[in-house]
Amino acid sequence: MKIAFFAALLAWVPMVASALSCRRPSVEASFTEVQKDSAQFVVVRGQLDFAQHQVQTNVKKTQRIKAHLNGASWSRKGFATAYRKQVTLELTCVGQWCGSAQSGSDVIAFVELGAQGNVISVGPCGGRLFAKPTPKMVRAVEQCFAGKACTPSR
């Protein structure tokens, strides 16, 4: 009986060790991360639309999906500058865990501006795309841009 228990326990340990461990994503953490990045970003609040059927499950590799982001980007007056652009939704993976997104979602997105066009990267732990933004998330963006406290809550 003891041998069977220990055999089951040993078989279970590698599964636990291979689990992905993520910090809770936050607007503040994403803001701080992109501020340190050498790339340029714009923060947009709007609706993200794409062909949902293009998102493949169980792929375990990066997927690049054409999408449209319609809303407003951040300016000195808040989310006030019209933003209606095609973006690439980049769903990245770490092992078997991949980022995801839902078409038609209201979002706050950190959009990278670069030679590859406008890109929103979403990893398995989230980070640069926040669906259904709450007033608290919007206030966090305002505080971060104003140079006030921009520390992720734990």
Side-chain angles (χ1 to χ4, degrees):
M1 179 78 161
K2 286 183 184 179
I3 294 173
F5 172 75
F6 285 115
L9 181 63
L10 288 175
W12 179 73
V13 168
M15 287 187 283
V16 173
S18 68
L20 183 64
S21 178
C22 297
R23 287 186 178 169
R24 176 179 219 141
S26 73
V27 171
E28 297 93 341
S30 294
F31 185 90
T32 302
E33 180 183 305
V34 301
Q35 287 294 313
K36 293 176 184 175
D37 198 309
S38 61
Q40 290 186 327
F41 289 83
V42 63
V43 182
V44 178
R45 183 177 183 190
Q47 184 170 332
L48 182 66
D49 293 301
F50 57 94
Q52 189 71 46
H53 71 274
Q54 290 182 343
V55 177
Q56 299 174 2
T57 56
N58 301 320
V59 174
K60 299 179 187 166
K61 66 177 183 173
T62 298
Q63 298 178 64
R64 295 176 62 82
I65 298 165
K66 295 295 179 196
H68 292 279
L69 182 56
N70 298 311
S73 64
W74 183 262
S75 70
R76 292 181 183 175
K77 296 179 182 180
F79 286 108
T81 303
Y83 187 97
R84 288 168 181 44
K85 297 191 180 191
Q86 182 172 325
V87 297
T88 299
L89 181 60
E90 187 176 72
L91 304 175
T92 61
C93 300
V94 174
Q96 64 191 26
W97 298 278
C98 298
S100 64
Q102 186 68 40
S103 184
S105 295
D106 289 326
V107 299
I108 289 178
F110 290 79
V111 182
E112 183 176 351
L113 311 175
Q116 301 288 328
N118 299 332
V119 178
I120 304 169
S121 295
V122 184
C125 295
R128 293 198 179 152
L129 183 67
F130 298 87
K132 300 177 185 171
T134 64
K136 182 178 178 182
M137 289 177 180
V138 174
R139 280 193 307 276
V141 171
E142 292 168 355
Q143 286 184 318
C144 291
F145 270 106
K148 298 180 181 176
C150 189
T151 307
S153 56
R154 301 277 172 203

